[in-house]
Amino acid sequence: HGVARRLPRVVLGGDLNCTPDGSQLQLLLQGTVASDHPDWECASSFRWRREDAVEMGGGDCCEERSAGDELQPPELLPVASTASADAVEEEHEKDEEGGKELQPGMGLALRNPLGRLRDVYADSQLAFTNYVHGFQGVLDYILTTDDIRVLRTLPGVSEEEIKPEGGLPSVLYPSDHIAIAADLELCC
């Protein structure tokens, strides 16, 4: 028990299908997402019915329900206490009946067990990695833990280069995403 646990070195790269302001990237870069983050407001539009669970391979998990009944959302869970400075916000509502501390909002407070990751393009932000009709933005990322140093990154593509082709894909760039790459070095 006296030995400090070292987290693994991580390089995470790919099309994360989220813009830099999304909660998905916030979880990876800041290490937390609050239960009242605006992205959770979309959660109410997702309703799982018995048929959905069966179609997804969950089996007949709701035998006592009738065929068209909706599954009930899970009960709001108490927030785990933590002394970490990166902990999810301390503002909690008190459950009137049980006195339990509940998470504010309609979502879950999430913490990345790896802590904060770094975007290798943080010092040279890309204007876009996806440029299609109706959308231009960054969707692709290379993220690392702090014990990995960025030596250099592949430069982005200018809008002037792809605009004459109408965006991506094009003759020069055959994908709807531009390539991103980085030379990395493991630190001690």
Side-chain angles (χ1 to χ4, degrees):
H1 281 355
V3 180
R5 186 174 154 245
R6 182 181 171 131
L7 293 173
R9 292 180 167 134
V10 173
V11 176
L12 172 67
D15 176 2
L16 301 184
N17 245 358
C18 61
T19 56
D21 60 341
S23 59
Q24 307 91 326
L25 204 60
Q26 180 183 337
L27 177 62
L28 295 169
L29 295 177
Q30 296 176 13
T32 63
V33 172
S35 61
D36 57 355
H37 189 282
D39 281 359
W40 284 117
E41 292 175 15
C42 299
S44 64
S45 64
F46 295 97
R47 298 264 184 211
W48 289 87
R49 296 181 322 271
R50 179 176 173 270
E51 296 84 21
D52 297 329
V54 172
E55 285 177 23
M56 295 292 291
D60 196 2
C61 63
C62 308
E63 295 173 15
E64 68 278 359
R65 300 190 199 298
S66 61
D69 285 351
E70 292 183 359
L71 296 176
Q72 295 300 312
E75 182 180 327
L76 192 57
L77 300 175
V79 175
S81 62
T82 177
S84 169
D86 292 329
V88 180
E89 298 175 22
E90 294 288 327
E91 301 174 16
H92 304 294
E93 300 171 9
K94 288 284 185 179
D95 176 36
E96 293 177 18
E97 294 176 17
K100 294 185 262 180
E101 291 186 23
L102 299 178
Q103 299 175 12
M106 63 183 318
L108 297 173
L110 302 176
R111 255 180 12 120
N112 182 351
L114 297 172
R116 297 173 181 212
L117 299 178
R118 289 183 313 126
D119 183 352
V120 301
Y121 280 95
D123 294 333
S124 56
Q125 290 291 320
L126 298 170
F128 57 87
T129 62
N130 182 261
Y131 195 108
V132 295
H133 180 70
F135 178 81
Q136 298 87 36
V138 176
L139 298 177
D140 304 272
Y141 304 90
I142 301 172
L143 309 175
T144 68
T145 46
D146 284 336
D147 52 1
I148 298 174
R149 189 168 61 130
V150 179
L151 300 176
R152 64 180 172 235
T153 57
L154 183 67
V157 176
S158 73
E159 191 173 357
E160 291 76 31
E161 289 179 79
I162 61 171
K163 218 172 190 180
E165 300 282 337
L168 297 172
S170 69
V171 173
L172 292 175
Y173 304 99
S175 174
D176 62 335
H177 294 258
I178 63 166
I180 60 172
D183 286 335
L184 306 172
E185 178 179 67
L186 297 178
C187 301
C188 298

